[in-house]
Amino acid sequence: MPPVELSAAATLPADGFAGALVGRVWRPDVAGPSVVVARDGALVDVSAAFPTVRDLCEAADPAAAARDARGERLGAVDDILANTPPDGRDPRRPWLVAPIDLQAIKAAGVTFAASLIERVIEERARGERASAEAIRADFARRVGGDLGAVKPGSPAAERLKQALIETGLWSQYLEVGIGPDAEIFTKSQPMSAVGAGADAGFHPASVWNNPEPEIVVVVNSRCAIVGATLGNDVNLRDFEGRSALLLGKAKDQNASCAIGPFLRLFDATFTLDDVRRAEVALRVEGEDAYILEGGSSMAAISRDPEDLARQMMDAGRQYPDGAALFLGTMFAPVADRDAPGKGFSHKSGDVVSVSADALGRLVNRMRPCQDCPPWDFGVGALMRNLARRRLI
């Protein structure tokens, strides 16, 4: 497999170090992770002030707290990024890992009309990708119009719902796509996400799967969105298409949740409005010379990020360590990769890049999940490590 290479020029946001960029690095010298802030071309360990990213996000002003925190300079960003991909890594030097830790990892589904239609197609195809194209054409012919113009939960959405029920086209996915209640599910477990440069996993039994390029907002325990990063919500379309009750298996395998490269905290240089306007780009490069490009425009989302955060966390659902929330995507590949009518599916060795100007570039190499490094450093291991280092 070709190596994945990372550099500051290709990984950082378009405005470089202008924002409050927070991450985590694995430090071999302490056998654990440290919270870092990107500053003056280097990564500074601020774990003495904030042992976890969760702690930093709970500050009254996380961006100001990150800028003010003092700590040990671990090395140049370029050097640590270069040591991050597993191929050729020097195990004695630090490398970048996912920029979240104790937060729950949640995701919002069918938040874009294009994604909504594809979920209905999966359901009606019963996970058989060969029949998807015919169902797609029939749905477009019978429904018509722009689902993206329908505000979820509105009277117009209710009228459309009734019309679709009468024509036999209603679906559980349409319920969460245009109904009042958003689909919010658990994508993965705290501490399980892989970061930039890492191998990301897909289930070897899946023959119809794809990347999902998304913005991930980080929400603190008070339901305040404090920043954003990039994510790849790897999805098994055949598993979920067979039954929505298989969503857990379709979404959560070893290394199937990629987040990074850095968490950009909200400040004068970057706000929630920048998230609302963001253009997220995707590029897949296969070892077979296959190239897939696509993207997702946040301006087309059906539900506002603040509404999604409130639906995730309210008086009946608390997250004392906050949450990282995938906002969904409008991207769903329909072009055939191999045989006609078979659509797109990953092959081992695919290099997936998710990028946005204000958030940088998240790049991962795809492999069967059992071939990715096993997840063996969870919350318990983190607490023991921080205690040994006298950080808690």
Side-chain angles (χ1 to χ4, degrees):
M1 294 183 181
V4 172
E5 298 180 350
L6 300 184
S7 67
T11 303
L12 291 176
D15 56 358
F17 294 94
L21 302 179
V22 173
R24 291 165 65 241
V25 301
W26 185 269
R27 291 189 56 170
D29 58 330
V30 297
S34 282
V35 179
V36 295
V37 174
R39 189 179 295 155
D40 299 326
L43 292 182
V44 177
D45 185 341
V46 297
S47 296
F50 301 103
T52 67
V53 175
R54 176 267 178 201
D55 293 324
L56 176 57
C57 292
E58 291 297 313
D61 184 341
R67 293 184 190 279
D68 292 341
R70 296 293 175 259
E72 176 187 357
R73 185 184 187 277
L74 297 183
V77 172
D78 251 329
D79 292 341
I80 292 174
L81 285 173
N83 197 50
T84 291
D87 296 326
R89 174 186 294 161
D90 182 347
R92 299 166 298 179
R93 295 169 47 224
W95 60 86
L96 200 68
V97 294
I100 60 170
D101 40 45
L102 298 181
Q103 293 90 348
I105 304 177
K106 310 291 285 189
V110 291
T111 53
F112 290 81
S115 172
L116 163 60
I117 293 168
E118 287 302 311
R119 297 292 85 77
V120 175
I121 290 166
E122 287 169 12
E123 179 185 41
R124 292 181 173 270
R126 299 293 189 268
E128 294 292 333
R129 59 178 176 170
S131 59
E133 186 56 42
I135 296 170
R136 186 176 294 112
D138 180 62
F139 187 88
R141 177 182 61 80
R142 295 172 66 185
V143 175
D146 180 13
L147 284 178
V150 179
K151 179 177 174 57
S154 67
E158 179 61 26
R159 290 193 295 271
L160 176 60
K161 173 181 178 177
Q162 293 305 317
L164 291 171
I165 289 173
E166 291 171 5
T167 58
L169 286 178
W170 190 244
S171 158
Q172 59 195 335
Y173 292 105
L174 288 162
E175 178 64 49
V176 296
I178 64 175
D181 298 313
E183 178 191 20
I184 307 288
F185 60 90
T186 296
K187 166 60 184 177
S188 197
Q189 308 309 309
M191 299 287 295
S192 68
V194 298
D199 287 339
F202 61 93
H203 200 290
S206 172
V207 296
W208 188 18
N209 54 70
N210 61 254
E212 293 193 350
E214 305 188 24
I215 287 182
V216 181
V217 291
V218 173
V219 187
N220 67 18
S221 66
R222 301 181 296 279
C223 200
I225 302 175
V226 299
T229 183
L230 296 169
N232 180 3
D233 175 15
V234 181
N235 183 40
L236 310 182
R237 301 189 68 181
D238 44 2
F239 280 47
E240 185 178 358
R242 284 192 283 124
S243 171
L245 298 180
L246 295 175
L247 181 65
K249 284 195 172 184
K251 292 292 187 177
D252 188 7
Q253 310 98 46
N254 181 45
S256 67
C257 178
I259 296 178
F262 295 96
L263 167 62
R264 185 165 187 173
L265 297 170
F266 290 159
D267 60 8
T269 72
F270 180 65
T271 69
L272 187 57
D273 282 338
D274 292 301
V275 171
R276 294 180 173 115
R277 293 187 293 262
E279 297 289 330
V280 183
L282 172 82
R283 181 178 174 88
V284 179
E285 300 176 66
E287 291 186 310
D288 54 358
Y290 176 85
I291 294 178
L292 172 68
E293 293 184 317
S296 188
S297 175
M298 286 297 296
I301 198 168
S302 299
R303 300 182 190 269
D304 188 75
E306 286 190 324
D307 175 50
L308 291 171
R310 284 193 296 267
Q311 292 214 30
M312 174 187 68
M313 186 186 305
D314 58 22
R317 286 173 288 265
Q318 293 82 40
Y319 291 84
D321 294 317
L325 176 62
F326 282 76
L327 295 179
T329 182
M330 64 186 294
F331 174 77
V334 297
D336 297 326
R337 181 170 191 172
D338 294 315
K342 296 295 185 180
F344 171 85
S345 195
H346 273 306
K347 294 184 179 181
S348 187
D350 285 352
V351 175
V352 179
S353 299
V354 179
S355 60
D357 283 350
L359 296 171
R361 176 172 173 261
L362 170 68
V363 57
N364 301 94
R365 182 177 58 187
M366 302 302 302
R367 301 176 67 192
C369 58
Q370 76 274 15
D371 294 338
C372 297
W375 174 40
D376 58 8
F377 194 90
V379 173
L382 175 64
M383 294 298 103
R384 289 188 292 272
N385 180 267
L386 294 177
R388 284 196 302 269
R389 293 159 61 185
R390 297 187 177 181
L391 294 175
I392 58 173

